[in-house]
Amino acid sequence: MEVVSCSHSCLALHQTPRSAWRLRGSGLGLGHGKPHRPRRSAVLCVGTTRGASIPGDSGNVRASQGFSVSDVDAALQGIPSQKAGEVEKVMIHGLPEGPDSSPISTGFWEWKPKLTVYYEKSGTENSKAPAVLFLPGFGVGTFHYEKQLRDLGRDHKVWTMDFLGQGMSLPCEDPAPSSIEDEQSNEVFWGFGQDSQPWAEELVYSIDLWHKQVQHFIEEVIREPVYIVGNSLGGFVALYFAASNPHLVKGVTLLNATPFWGFLPNPATSPRLSKIFPWAGTFPLPSFVRKLTETVWQKISDPSSIQDILKQVYADHSTNVDNVFSRIIETTQHPAAAASFASIMFAPRGQISFQEALSRCQSQGIPISLMYGREDPWVRPIWGIKVKQQVPEAPYYEISPAGHCPHDEVPEVINYLLRGWLKNLESEGSINLPFLEEPSYAEHGVSRELEFVREGSRKSVSVRLYGSKISLWSQLSSFLNTNVSNSRVVSR
């Protein structure tokens, strides 16, 4: 592990056993524990997945999902229709194991006094390779990209970090300590006192803070322009950052990026409107927020609630999420987690919207790629299609079965597509994007069935690359098929 200007007190906290962070009375503990030339096709076929392995689950959850693109849709797209079963299959590599994988190293970077960022990296010895920075979604962290670091780190310089206020980038000290009178009711939470510490007076865990965090991390730690990849919230931050700092970004990949973040008006863009709201995520927390947070936090930090959320966002319930589950639980046990959650929920919107950030990236010539899990119950495929319509030159891959976190659920597919996209950009177009072996595909799109081996078993995932011409029927078909597939998962 390396430390970049980090105080010893912060390291001591991060190295403290998680059991020391347990919320009193909560009962939470760590025990809860290039192939041959392809043919064009317009049919997507997905097989049946196996039983669930989510911690605490009975193992009886089963997801049987079948999806197809109709001949009508194929005709509208200009793709010759074929009979079912004639999908072009492409065998791709599985994840590397043991000594074949790239080792991961960790570190802490002190950005500002008392604000230390935890990060992980891999493949930094690949000096001539491009640098790639992965940004996680809300509620997770660096651990969600382990499969990318171990695989892509073999031929790229790969980084990821926890956003401030999440994961292991929570504060090392109490931003608003409780007084002696308050200790009985609020002793398990940091940030629940009446007065904030000087270093935390202007602290608010907002998208503007994370945007600045990414900027300084690239400038001070990575020290070169990067390709930036973001899932969910990380996708919004990636796009926001690229729009504001085009000189530091070589390209952006969105993985089921959330198209909006924050509810309250931003003081910089709506000064009068923002004055209506008495509080916007700063410390100390008002009394009513402390009481609300105690109630809400007790529910959302419960292991059973976390299990339920994971079942929603992972379409293939055979995916092992034990590590994700345990790491989320660890974060909830940090004494600063509850107040940080409150600050995030009440933080103002960013100074620019997702759509404006997208427009800026397009006008500045920043390459964008889209890789979306089709069965995402939160960020439906229609949101990816909207981005594709605004930036028609961006490749848009729709993956099934896959939910809100395709990089963790089908990392073999995401890593394959990312490698292809990076090679295309680094070669200045002399190497084709995945599936674009024929020029006509760029306009009309194409479907493929990717196969790979995981834990000794062969798995198959359907991937559709949308062309630059997206019909109204394509949008409707995607929306309806997604609703049908989600209802099938829920009903079983």
Side-chain angles (χ1 to χ4, degrees):
M1 179 180 74
E2 67 179 9
V3 180
V4 182
S5 302
C6 180
S7 65
H8 293 292
S9 60
C10 181
L11 281 175
L13 174 61
H14 284 299
Q15 293 173 347
T16 301
R18 288 303 191 272
S19 58
W21 296 349
R22 184 176 288 109
L23 304 185
R24 300 183 187 178
S26 68
L28 298 184
L30 293 181
H32 291 286
K34 187 176 187 234
H36 64 280
R37 191 177 185 83
R39 303 186 305 272
R40 283 176 287 181
S41 173
V43 181
L44 295 180
C45 302
V46 179
T48 304
T49 59
R50 305 178 67 180
S53 61
I54 295 175
D57 190 85
S58 64
N60 294 324
V61 177
R62 304 183 68 87
S64 178
Q65 302 161 310
F67 307 93
S68 64
V69 180
S70 70
D71 289 344
V72 176
D73 190 18
L76 287 172
Q77 287 297 311
I79 306 172
S81 62
Q82 296 181 352
K83 296 179 181 179
E86 293 186 5
V87 176
E88 182 65 33
K89 296 183 179 181
V90 179
M91 193 71 186
I92 64 174
H93 291 292
L95 297 178
E97 298 180 357
D100 293 330
S101 63
S102 179
I104 298 173
S105 58
T106 65
F108 289 94
W109 164 62
E110 186 177 52
W111 177 26
K112 297 180 179 181
K114 312 300 182 181
L115 296 179
T116 302
V117 175
Y118 173 78
Y119 66 91
E120 296 184 357
K121 62 180 182 177
S122 183
T124 51
E125 70 280 0
N126 301 318
S127 59
K128 296 183 180 180
V132 186
L133 174 62
F134 289 88
L135 300 181
F138 174 62
V140 291
T142 57
F143 58 86
H144 222 200
Y145 287 116
E146 179 180 346
K147 298 166 186 176
Q148 280 67 48
L149 267 66
R150 295 199 180 280
D151 185 2
L152 297 176
R154 296 182 299 165
D155 43 25
H156 296 81
K157 292 174 292 205
V158 189
W159 306 75
T160 183
M161 64 176 171
D162 291 348
F163 287 130
L164 284 167
Q166 301 186 60
M168 292 180 67
S169 292
L170 285 160
C172 307
E173 296 180 15
D174 193 337
S178 299
S179 62
I180 297 177
E181 293 79 9
D182 295 333
E183 282 185 359
Q184 274 194 329
S185 60
N186 297 325
E187 58 183 347
V188 297
F189 297 124
W190 282 6
F192 274 50
Q194 302 291 334
D195 300 299
S196 65
Q197 296 283 59
W199 62 270
E201 288 180 350
E202 297 182 2
L203 177 63
V204 52
Y205 297 117
S206 67
I207 198 163
D208 284 317
L209 175 73
W210 298 325
H211 150 245
K212 290 296 183 182
Q213 175 189 341
V214 174
Q215 175 188 342
H216 288 275
F217 184 79
I218 294 174
E219 292 175 337
E220 299 174 23
V221 181
I222 302 180
R223 299 181 179 180
E224 65 175 293
V226 303
Y227 289 99
I228 190 164
V229 183
N231 170 238
S232 191
L233 166 62
F236 194 133
V237 177
L239 197 67
Y240 190 116
F241 170 74
S244 306
N245 302 272
H247 62 292
L248 295 176
V249 180
K250 301 174 71 174
V252 177
T253 294
L254 303 180
L255 306 173
N256 290 73
T258 179
F260 43 80
W261 190 262
F263 302 101
L264 301 185
N266 190 291
T269 57
S270 305
R272 293 183 179 179
L273 187 59
S274 64
K275 291 180 180 180
I276 299 175
F277 300 90
W279 184 71
T282 54
F283 292 90
L285 279 62
S287 177
F288 80 93
V289 174
R290 294 198 299 268
K291 293 178 181 178
L292 177 62
T293 300
E294 287 189 53
T295 301
V296 175
W297 186 250
Q298 184 177 5
K299 174 62 178 177
I300 66 171
S301 64
D302 184 86
S304 62
S305 296
I306 296 172
Q307 288 175 1
D308 289 341
I309 292 174
L310 291 177
K311 288 179 184 178
Q312 289 181 39
V313 299
Y314 283 77
D316 183 352
H317 290 157
S318 69
T319 305
N320 190 327
V321 295
D322 289 5
N323 181 56
V324 174
F325 175 80
S326 62
R327 294 295 295 272
I328 293 175
I329 292 295
E330 287 182 23
T331 300
T332 63
Q333 294 172 354
H334 192 291
S340 298
F341 168 77
S343 177
I344 292 171
M345 291 296 98
F346 285 89
R349 294 190 295 265
Q351 294 187 30
I352 60 176
S353 67
F354 183 90
Q355 288 72 26
E356 185 178 351
L358 188 61
S359 296
R360 290 190 186 185
C361 286
Q362 184 180 28
S363 65
Q364 292 167 154
I366 297 174
I368 295 174
S369 68
L370 312 165
M371 302 174 191
Y372 281 56
R374 183 171 182 147
E375 287 73 59
D376 188 343
W378 298 346
V379 182
R380 301 295 180 89
I382 190 66
W383 291 107
I385 291 176
K386 285 181 177 294
V387 176
K388 173 66 175 176
Q389 288 180 316
Q390 187 171 342
V391 191
E393 67 274 13
Y396 171 41
Y397 297 94
E398 192 174 84
I399 307 161
S400 178
H404 188 60
C405 312
H407 60 287
D408 189 50
E409 192 169 4
V410 283
E412 300 89 348
V413 174
I414 294 299
N415 294 356
Y416 169 78
L417 296 176
L418 275 174
R419 272 195 174 93
W421 181 65
L422 292 170
K423 287 179 180 179
N424 172 260
L425 292 179
E426 288 293 299
S427 69
E428 298 182 343
S430 63
I431 298 177
N432 287 324
L433 283 165
F435 307 173
L436 287 186
E437 294 84 357
E438 293 186 12
S440 61
Y441 290 174
E443 182 176 338
H444 301 300
V446 65
S447 297
R448 290 287 181 267
E449 187 172 320
L450 301 187
E451 293 188 341
F452 52 89
V453 175
R454 180 190 295 175
E455 297 179 350
S457 299
R458 179 171 292 195
K459 295 183 71 71
S460 179
V461 174
S462 294
V463 181
R464 180 181 183 185
L465 171 62
Y466 278 75
S468 57
K469 291 186 177 181
I470 302 180
S471 67
L472 178 61
W473 177 260
S474 293
Q475 300 175 52
L476 183 60
S477 174
S478 180
F479 177 75
L480 293 177
N481 282 333
T482 302
N483 284 343
V484 170
S485 65
N486 287 334
S487 65
R488 286 176 178 173
V489 173
V490 172
S491 65
R492 289 178 178 264

